[in-house]
Amino acid sequence: MAGWLIILTGGIYAVVAADLWCHGKAGLAIAYLGYAFANVGLYMASR
């Protein structure tokens, strides 16, 4: 998988997490933040 695509996906997850947090859905926000963080590991593994 292309590195830029992994970064883009992680960024989208981070934006969704921020939006959920702003709307008071802390549980889902934390889950999506975890998905965003997991993409860091995927990016590192793809290099």
Side-chain angles (χ1 to χ4, degrees):
M1 190 176 218
W4 67 268
L5 187 55
I6 296 170
I7 292 170
L8 177 66
T9 304
I12 291 170
Y13 281 139
V15 169
V16 170
D19 183 60
L20 287 167
W21 187 270
C22 289
H23 285 94
K25 298 182 189 241
L28 283 173
I30 291 168
Y32 274 89
L33 193 59
Y35 295 149
F37 185 71
N39 276 296
V40 174
L42 291 172
Y43 177 76
M44 291 171 66
S46 74
R47 305 247 91 229

